[in-house]
Amino acid sequence: MSPTAGQVIKCRAAVAWEAGKPLVIEEVEVAPPQANEVRLKILFTALCRTDVHFWEAKGQTPLFPRIFGHEAGGIVESVGEGVTELQPGDHVLPVFTGECGECLHCKSEESNMCDLLRINTDRGTMIIDGKTRFSKNGQPIYHFVGTSTFSEYTVVHTGCVAKINPAAPLDKVCILSCGICTGLGATLNVAKPKKGSSVAIFGLGAVGLAAAEGARLAGAARIIGVDLHSSRFEEAKKFGVSEFVNPKDHEKPVQEVIAEMTDGGVDRSVECTGSIQAMISAFECVHDGWGVAVLVGVPNKDDAFKTHPMNFLNERTLKGTFYGNYKPRTDLPSVVEKYLNKELELEKFITHSVSFSEINKAFDYMLKGQSIRCIIRMEE
């Protein structure tokens, strides 16, 4: 039993007091876990574009003060009532979505969209009692997507915690908590390109590069990167991208450019931008008869997807995916093993590393487009 089990822990957390303002390292109080919850000691966390998106609060429901962060690796400090599958000392990855194991989605082999623990960006409290586990001087501090990893200790629902091989370096595998699995799984689990096939990847940020990595692992012969920033092509070569198209360089729609390059269209495409035009292009650039397009990016709420029905009748398939169709507790441990077996390369995603006290530098790197993933070391 942990010596701190059942007690309030005082620790450092990076608190966002208001939208768009630098995070402030504060001493906060972290309450013990309640039923079906675990308290984790976070050792490494990373910054994802989603954290920045909700920190800026442009078009989202602002909820402050808040502790962001959802890509991380840590160790179980203590467990709440009813938790049997985890114990203090376990090495884990907290995940923004969960797997309760009981709902129809969890019992289905075809879905990872848990009814109870599916991502909820508006909720800033724990599910069981609607209260926060964070506070400062009696003032509650809100959670973010059930993880809040920009804190030395955090409390997470047990269904959102994947137990992994303790041999895995947490400063590397922590990035599997979100973006890398989202892109990787979109290709491997949903698009499922055959060996020797052609794949177009729309958007070469972290998720798109992970999708390209998935195409590389699947043995695709041609991986075509599509991005509005030509400067990204050089970096993308490390992930198997062999050809590059910038839609701004062409007068005709990019789907027509790709169709000409590939004798009628690519076998698979994966869209990782959230741009509705990119989504339409990704669908219309796949070959008739067998082409499959997979949508990963999150569109604006008022967007509408528009294409001619003949594109479907000509046997093109359009799919969507959430977190790469990985069930967090069931599937993440095997993805970690892929890394340990040297099948999956994670180091090339990690471009920067900062200490916890320098966390705002990670935001600067991302806002300037300089980083793919920046690791934040919790212990100075």
Side-chain angles (χ1 to χ4, degrees), residues 35-81:
N36 297 317
E37 296 174 357
V38 294
R39 188 161 58 186
L40 309 179
K41 181 179 184 179
I42 300 297
L43 297 180
F44 298 95
T45 185
L47 180 65
C48 170
R49 173 66 66 178
T50 305
D51 295 307
V52 176
H53 201 53
F54 283 86
W55 165 73
E56 291 177 320
K58 294 175 180 174
Q60 292 81 38
T61 308
L63 191 60
F64 296 94
R66 202 170 201 182
I67 296 173
F68 287 102
H70 63 284
E71 279 190 1
I75 296 173
V76 175
E77 175 270 336
S78 61
V79 303
E81 181 188 338

Side-chain angles (χ1 to χ4, degrees), residues 252-261 285:
K252 62 179 70 171
V254 71
Q255 54 265 47
E256 293 180 20
V257 175
I258 292 171
E260 288 175 7
M261 290 170 64
C285 82

Side-chain angles (χ1 to χ4, degrees), residues 171-184:
D171 60 332
K172 306 294 191 299
V173 297
C174 66
I175 63 173
L176 293 173
S177 291
C178 178
I180 308 310
C181 277
T182 296
L184 188 73

Side-chain angles (χ1 to χ4, degrees), residues 104-122:
L104 285 174
H105 284 277
C106 286
K107 289 180 177 178
S108 166
E109 292 182 2
E110 299 180 53
S111 175
N112 66 337
M113 301 186 73
C114 176
D115 282 332
L116 178 68
L117 300 171
R118 193 178 306 182
I119 186 172
N120 183 334
T121 55
D122 289 338

